[in-house]
């Protein structure tokens, strides 16, 4: 957007006796994307702009078109007309970017390259240093507010503990900015952001429950679907990571054709007796213990269902599957997946992390102490 302003592609334009401020012509912008190597061809440029429309970043000046047309039509960035939706997530992201820019632009910044356990980390700071700085700079009123801000930044993936083992605390624990806000990003990155998530919603997901004691020749298993119905779907083999660039459904081989019995529909409720928040899980003295599980996936998957969000929980476990053998139980909360802190994520995102990761899954879970 800023580059388009600098290049005078965004400007006040007159059409049918009316002036539209701060807008651009779609066809001119597509030309610009190709000329500046932001898109290899017009088709990709159109897809990129459609992504921005889908994310409520740009829109037609009169909102007469819901899709991006490569024509002499006027569009505008919502930031330029005050219609950009400032959700909580967006506000936290923008606050993180503002703090990062402020930190990197001052002399003697607390952001430094530091080493822990013989590993060097970029853009690091101590939790107590960040709290001191936030209070001194007037970004917050007190240390408690600073801790709450740090926790929000961590839960939104902007900062993280260097080894993903701790939430944000006012202590000498080492953290880093996970996002380098000054790295120039290419628009084409938008086209790959949701591919793995979409696959996690597939009825052939490896997170489905397998049927217990399957009959010979019948490899179907039960799956708790996102639409809260229980359906019988065909089991598939989890393909290797080396086959990710192949067929139209690269994560799985073709499912066998089976004749299924009638679908049993119901509305399975959460196995949790009551909702549990991240604050409750992480509060000092909370009745939860953390366990590390190593699960080696088999030909079907890992044999569990994860549901919910912030935090996610284990909804169901196949008693004869790899997850059960590793000690997984229903009602456990998912703390980390392959070293990535995930308490702030929804189950679709966690499913994507698991699906695109190695066959051997390392999960940290939090379990209530009986």
């Amino acid at each position: 957007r800023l580059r388009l302003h600098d290049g005078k592609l965004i400007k006040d334009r007159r059409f049918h006796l009316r002036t539209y401020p701060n807008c651009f012509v779609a066809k001119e912008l597509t030309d610009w994307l190709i000329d500046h190597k932001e898109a290899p061809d017009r088709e990709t440029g159109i897809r990129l702009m459609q992504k921005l429309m889908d994310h409520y970043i740009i829109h037609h000046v009169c909102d007469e078109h819901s899709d991006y047309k490569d024509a002499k039509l006027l569009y505008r960035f919502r930031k330029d007309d005050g219609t950009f939706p400032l959700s909580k997530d967006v506000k936290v992201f923008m606050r993180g970017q503002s703090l990062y820019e402020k930190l990197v632009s001052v002399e003697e910044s607390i952001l430094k390259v530091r080493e822990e356990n013989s590993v060097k980390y970029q853009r690091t700071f101590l939790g107590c240093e960040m709290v001191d700085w936030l209070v001194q700079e007037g970004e917050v009123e007190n240390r408690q507010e600073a801790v709450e801000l740090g926790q929000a930044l961590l839960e939104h993936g902007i900062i993280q503990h260097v080894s993903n083992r701790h939430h944000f605390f006012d202590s000498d624990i080492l953290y880093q900015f996970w996002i380098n806000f000054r790295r120039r990003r290419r628009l084409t990155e938008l086209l790959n952001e949701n591919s793995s998530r979409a696959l996690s919603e597939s009825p052939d997901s490896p997170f489905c429950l397998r049927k217990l004691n399957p009959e010979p020749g019948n490899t179907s298993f039960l799956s708790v679907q996102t639409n809260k119905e229980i359906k019988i779907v065909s089991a598939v083999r989890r393909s290797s990571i080396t086959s990710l660039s192949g067929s139209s459904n690269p994560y799985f081989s073709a499912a066998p054709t089976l004749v299924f019995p009638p679908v049993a529909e119901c509305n399975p409720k959460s196995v949790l007796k009551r909702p549990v928040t991240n604050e409750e899980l992480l509060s000092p003295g909370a009745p939860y213990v953390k366990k590390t599980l190593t699960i080696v996936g088999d030909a079907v998957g890992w044999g569990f269902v994860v549901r919910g969000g912030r935090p996610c929980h284990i909804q169901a476990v196949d008693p004869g599957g790899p997850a059960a053998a590793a000690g997984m139980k229903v009602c456990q909360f998912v703390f980390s997946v392959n070293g990535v802190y995930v308490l702030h994520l929804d189950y679709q995102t966690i499913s994507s992390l698991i699906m695109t990761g190695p066959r051997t899954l390392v999960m940290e879970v939090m379990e209530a102490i009986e």
Side-chain angles (χ1 to χ4, degrees), residues 284-349:
Y288 296 95
V289 60
K290 188 188 298 183
K291 295 183 177 181
T292 301
L293 309 178
T294 301
I295 309 167
V296 181
D298 60 15
V300 174
W302 292 272
F304 67 95
V305 175
V306 59
R307 283 293 181 266
R310 304 178 180 88
C312 289
H313 64 275
I314 304 302
Q315 174 74 10
V317 180
D318 175 3
M328 180 174 285
K329 303 174 183 177
V330 296
C331 298
Q332 291 174 333
F333 295 95
V334 185
F335 183 87
S336 72
V337 173
N338 294 327
V340 178
Y341 175 84
V342 297
L343 279 182
H344 59 295
L345 302 178
D346 56 30
Y347 76 87
Q348 295 101 327
T349 306

Side-chain angles (χ1 to χ4, degrees), residues 84-359:
F84 184 68
L86 286 176
S87 65
K88 179 184 177 182
D89 291 347
V90 172
K91 288 179 180 178
V92 173
F93 184 89
M94 293 176 68
R95 184 75 184 278
Q97 183 176 22
S98 173
L99 293 174
Y100 181 85
E101 291 293 342
K102 193 171 181 179
L103 282 164
V104 298
S105 62
V106 299
E107 295 183 7
E108 301 298 322
S109 173
I110 63 173
L111 297 187
K112 299 176 183 177
V113 177
R114 291 181 172 92
E115 186 174 308
E116 184 172 284
N117 296 328
S118 301
V119 178
K120 286 188 176 181
Y121 297 95
Q122 304 289 330
R123 305 179 297 278
T124 68
F125 56 90
L126 299 178
C128 55
E129 287 181 337
M130 177 62 80
V131 171
D132 290 341
W133 182 83
L134 290 170
V135 174
Q136 290 169 6
E137 293 296 315
E139 294 285 346
V140 295
E141 293 186 359
N142 51 57
R143 301 187 76 84
Q144 177 60 33
E145 197 174 305
V147 171
E148 292 172 357
L149 175 56
Q151 291 178 345
L153 294 175
L154 188 144
E155 290 173 0
H156 284 76
I158 297 170
I159 66 173
Q160 68 171 17
H161 176 246
V162 291
S163 57
N164 287 300
R165 295 188 178 278
H166 299 285
H167 210 300
F168 183 82
F169 297 106
D170 184 3
S171 66
D172 58 357
I173 297 176
L174 189 61
Y175 301 89
Q176 68 178 151
F177 269 88
W178 180 242
I179 297 178
N180 179 4
F181 286 101
R182 290 199 168 183
R183 178 180 76 83
R184 180 180 172 184
R185 290 166 173 79
R186 293 214 166 268
L187 281 173
T188 49
E189 294 179 32
L190 282 173
L191 299 180
N192 301 319
E193 64 171 3
N194 288 326
S195 57
S196 59
R197 172 178 291 197
L199 284 167
S200 73
E201 299 292 345
S202 164
D204 291 336
S205 167
F207 308 99
C208 300
L209 281 174
R210 296 165 300 175
K211 184 178 181 181
L212 301 182
N213 302 318
E215 299 172 3
N218 185 351
T219 58
S220 63
F221 56 92
L222 289 177
S223 166
V224 178
Q225 300 293 310
T226 55
N227 61 4
K228 296 184 179 180
E229 296 177 349
I230 292 183
K231 297 181 179 179
I232 294 183
V233 298
S234 59
V236 291
R237 180 175 299 275
R238 182 177 184 269
S239 61
S240 65
I241 297 301
T242 57
S243 66
L244 293 185
S245 59
S247 64
S248 60
N249 191 351
Y251 292 93
F252 307 103
S253 58
T257 302
L258 298 172
V259 177
F260 303 130
V263 173
E265 297 187 4
C266 66
N267 292 310
K269 296 182 179 179
S270 171
V271 294
L272 300 178
K273 294 181 180 179
R274 61 176 181 81
V276 176
T277 64
N278 284 338
E279 290 73 18
E280 184 177 348
L281 279 178
L282 299 171
S283 62
Y288 296 95
V289 60
K290 188 188 298 183
K291 295 183 177 181
T292 301
L293 309 178
T294 301
I295 309 167
V296 181
D298 60 15
V300 174
W302 292 272
F304 67 95
V305 175
V306 59
R307 283 293 181 266
R310 304 178 180 88
C312 289
H313 64 275
I314 304 302
Q315 174 74 10
V317 180
D318 175 3
M328 180 174 285
K329 303 174 183 177
V330 296
C331 298
Q332 291 174 333
F333 295 95
V334 185
F335 183 87
S336 72
V337 173
N338 294 327
V340 178
Y341 175 84
V342 297
L343 279 182
H344 59 295
L345 302 178
D346 56 30
Y347 76 87
Q348 295 101 327
T349 306
I350 292 179
S351 296
S352 298
L353 284 174
I354 297 172
M355 192 183 306
T356 57
R359 187 186 186 91

